[in-house]
Amino acid sequence: MARVFIISNRVALPNAGVQPGGLEVALKATLRKHSCVWLGWSGEVGETPQTRRIDRGDNSYVVSDLCTADFEEYYNGFANRVLWPVLHYRLDLAEFSRRDLSGYLRVNARFADELARLLQPDDLVWVHDYHLFPLARALRGRGFANPIGFFLHIPMPPPEILAALPNHENLIPALSDYDLVGFQTDGDAANFARYLAKELGMPSHMSLRLGSGERAMRIGAFPVGIETRRFTRMAERAVRTSLVDEVLRSIPGALMIGVDRMDYSKGIPQRLEAYERFLAAYPQWHGKITFLQITPKSRSQIPEYSDIQQAVNATAGRINGTYATASWTPVRYVNRPYSRTALSGLYRASRVGLVTPMRDGMNLVAKEYVAAQDPDDPGVLVLSRFAGAAAEMPEALLVNPYDPEAVGAAIARAMEMPLEERRRRHAALYAALLRNDIGKWGDRFLTALKGDRPKPGSHAGAALLNDLLAAPRTAAPKPH
Ligand code: GDG
């Protein structure tokens, strides 16, 4: 069996403690099933960057430090201040500089060098996320012909937005050096296909001539799931722990929960405003609902992130200032991470899960909340229609996070929902989680990557593709 090389910006080292983030959660099952080498940034910044290797069972972890310039330009700069906002439809927040772009390309070249030292010809390479768009191009330039796949965890916006990204005409077509490019939803894959058609005149499944053979990039949707049954079992146990018990005993009435990294894409200030509208419009619920928002810090060196932190603090303070009584605090805002077990118990204990990102690739919290519920007395998921998860979860109460009154009304509906309807919705949502369990996600992607590479001279493996655009090819792709 070939080794699987996973490359992502951050690497979750074994026993490294709580690191909130969807990528780690998504990759766990793949690491358990395959012999993997996971390579990326150590999370350390230093002037004499070191590389470390840790072997654990069948897996190895190879992590390198970044120097200060790399950290500022590649990570804080181009990845998080340009690509993250643009891909989340927030052109207004993007701050482009050529220096950051060159830092981004430099770090991608460094990862390619690191990989080049370790790769054998039959190894599969699976690259993750927006930090590493040009990695396949850098590897191909070093002569590697291995199957290389890319998965984008965050949204792919329509070409009209993507075209506003300075240098998109070099950066986005660099994805064509991958054999397989995967997205969270059909909508994201369709946006990419439209970009290829509009900007480059390519159909969605095109073939590129490369050297003497022919290679084709294929695109498809591979929605990320969770380890559903495992998460359910964890929640069953965790709900009986003293932490959950103490939380429940300390509040009057029902619990409503939100769990998100601190990020403007997650819509936390807007969610609090919606809760404020709910409290204003439905006074019968005063003293009977407590909203627990758990928000571990993330990327706190970027000013936009401290801005939302202040906005969240101010709104939570205003709500509590307006509505709190001696025995009831309407919002509990917690700014630190909890263990995964504790989170699962808190989800299960919550009558409502409020997951209202302004834009999200998938959103695993929505899936975890459903997996954690007691099927006999399940809570209700209120979910943003702009989370990728909404495509698979139509039985949630789908809301527009830009409409605080509608979100407030959905909270009221969730609180009032009869048991039978809650059970029916939960059963359908749970069945969808099982159909797309995370173990299948890694397998589907890797099978697609290794199993269906077109033979030299053949056309792209159309069976795997979403045939998103039927447009004939109108222009040749640019040479490399
Ligand atoms: C990206 C995409 C996509 C949160 N707080 C704590 C904690 N978490 C865990 C949650 C969940 C994960 O972190 C967050 O995953 P999300 O999917 O919600 O969001 P991103 O981190 O933005 O992930 C996203 C994902 O990649 C996977 O493809 O779904 O759209 O943006 O699992 O439970 N975990 C612990 N303590 C916390 O306090 N232990």
Side-chain angles (χ1 to χ4, degrees):
M1 174 68 197
R3 291 181 301 174
V4 177
F5 273 73
I6 295 170
I7 300 92
S8 61
N9 171 57
R10 285 299 300 274
V11 175
L13 294 174
N15 308 329
V18 175
Q19 286 182 346
L23 189 130
E24 173 192 358
V25 171
L27 284 171
K28 262 189 182 166
T30 301
L31 288 159
R32 263 201 289 273
K33 284 186 177 180
H34 298 272
S35 170
C36 297
V37 181
W38 190 352
L39 192 142
W41 174 35
S42 62
E44 303 291 322
V45 179
E47 284 325 309
T48 46
Q50 311 283 320
T51 297
R52 289 185 288 147
R53 179 183 177 126
I54 297 172
D55 295 313
R56 191 61 55 93
D58 279 347
N59 298 325
S60 301
Y61 301 80
V62 180
V63 290
S64 304
D65 307 337
L66 294 181
C67 69
T68 311
D70 291 345
F71 175 69
E72 285 304 335
E73 294 164 17
Y74 149 79
Y75 180 71
N76 268 344
F78 197 71
N80 285 338
R81 295 177 93 160
V82 179
L83 291 176
W84 179 271
V86 171
L87 271 67
H88 283 89
Y89 297 57
R90 292 296 304 269
L91 285 173
D92 57 315
L93 295 180
E95 291 174 47
F96 178 79
S97 86
R98 278 187 197 285
R99 203 186 56 171
D100 289 348
L101 174 61
S102 73
Y104 177 83
L105 298 173
R106 185 174 68 237
V107 172
N108 270 269
R110 173 117 29 89
F111 282 137
D113 287 336
E114 203 71 60
L115 263 169
R117 277 195 278 277
L118 302 168
L119 266 187
Q120 300 292 326
D122 63 343
D123 291 329
L124 297 177
V125 182
W126 190 5
V127 179
H128 290 263
D129 236 358
Y130 59 101
H131 310 86
L132 301 170
F133 281 148
L135 189 59
R137 180 147 294 186
L139 280 171
R140 301 291 183 217
R142 285 159 179 75
F144 285 90
N146 299 53
I148 312 179
F150 178 86
F151 183 77
L152 185 67
H153 289 257
I154 68 175
M156 176 53 81
E160 292 75 12
I161 289 185
L162 214 50
L165 172 70
N167 245 52
H168 70 93
E169 60 279 14
N170 294 318
L171 206 59
I172 305 301
L175 287 168
S176 62
D177 276 335
Y178 290 97
D179 295 287
L180 178 64
V181 179
F183 298 94
Q184 297 276 21
T185 67
D186 284 343
D188 295 308
N191 282 342
F192 182 55
R194 279 185 55 224
Y195 175 91
L196 297 176
K198 195 163 186 276
E199 296 292 326
L200 305 171
M202 296 180 193
S204 59
H205 46 93
M206 67 221 174
S207 300
L208 297 179
R209 292 211 70 81
L210 199 88
S212 55
E214 188 177 78
R215 204 170 47 70
M217 173 191 66
R218 290 163 293 134
I219 66 179
F222 298 83
V224 169
I226 60 165
E227 291 181 296
T228 310
R229 290 199 198 280
R230 183 182 275 257
F231 202 84
T232 307
R233 284 196 298 274
M234 181 160 60
E236 280 165 359
R237 285 194 298 274
V239 80
R240 294 193 291 268
T241 55
S242 55
L243 170 85
V244 176
D245 188 51
E246 275 165 29
V247 171
L248 289 180
R249 276 197 289 129
S250 69
I251 60 163
L255 192 60
M256 176 166 77
I257 195 165
V259 175
D260 313 78
R261 282 186 307 100
M262 176 64 82
D263 195 293
Y264 49 80
S265 66
K266 303 292 182 185
I268 306 164
Q270 293 86 344
R271 183 181 311 167
L272 281 166
E273 274 168 35
Y275 181 54
E276 192 172 27
R277 302 281 180 103
F278 161 80
L279 292 173
Y282 302 90
Q284 65 272 31
W285 287 107
H286 291 186
K288 295 179 185 147
I289 180 172
T290 297
F291 178 28
L292 172 62
Q293 173 66 48
I294 296 177
T295 305
K297 281 197 184 128
S298 100
R299 303 177 196 166
S300 37
Q301 277 152 320
I302 298 176
E304 288 78 24
Y305 288 76
S306 24
D307 292 350
I308 21 161
Q309 185 147 344
Q310 278 172 15
V312 172
N313 283 336
T315 316
R318 188 175 69 224
I319 296 172
N320 286 337
T322 308
Y323 294 104
T325 64
S327 57
W328 174 51
T329 309
V331 180
R332 288 199 188 171
Y333 171 50
V334 182
N335 214 205
R336 70 177 193 83
Y338 277 82
S339 73
R340 202 158 166 70
T341 314
L343 284 184
S344 73
L346 290 167
Y347 289 141
R348 191 171 176 103
S350 299
R351 182 73 166 69
V352 181
L354 199 49
V355 184
T356 54
M358 313 313 280
R359 197 58 70 171
D360 217 330
M362 176 53 62
N363 196 301
L364 296 181
V365 171
K367 296 188 167 183
E368 290 166 359
Y369 176 77
V370 168
Q373 296 309 301
D374 174 357
D376 292 331
D377 185 15
V380 179
L381 175 65
V382 176
L383 177 62
S384 164
R385 55 176 297 176
F386 302 128
E392 292 168 87
M393 304 182 97
E395 296 84 5
L397 294 183
L398 295 184
V399 292
N400 174 3
Y402 291 91
D403 183 347
E405 272 155 28
V407 177
I411 295 172
R413 190 165 164 216
M415 292 297 289
E416 287 154 9
M417 191 179 285
L419 178 61
E420 200 193 319
E421 183 179 351
R422 283 192 276 131
R423 281 186 182 156
R424 185 168 41 77
R425 286 176 183 268
H426 174 262
L429 289 168
Y430 198 86
L433 292 188
L434 288 180
R435 274 197 301 277
N436 186 30
D437 206 75
I438 189 66
K440 293 176 192 156
W441 174 72
D443 289 348
R444 279 184 59 226
F445 190 92
L446 292 173
T447 305
L449 177 59
K450 71 180 170 212
D452 214 25
R453 295 187 92 202
K455 306 271 179 303
S458 74
H459 205 71
L464 279 161
L465 287 171
N466 297 312
D467 277 351
L468 296 159
L469 284 182
R473 188 171 179 171
T474 53
K478 288 188 181 153
H480 296 272

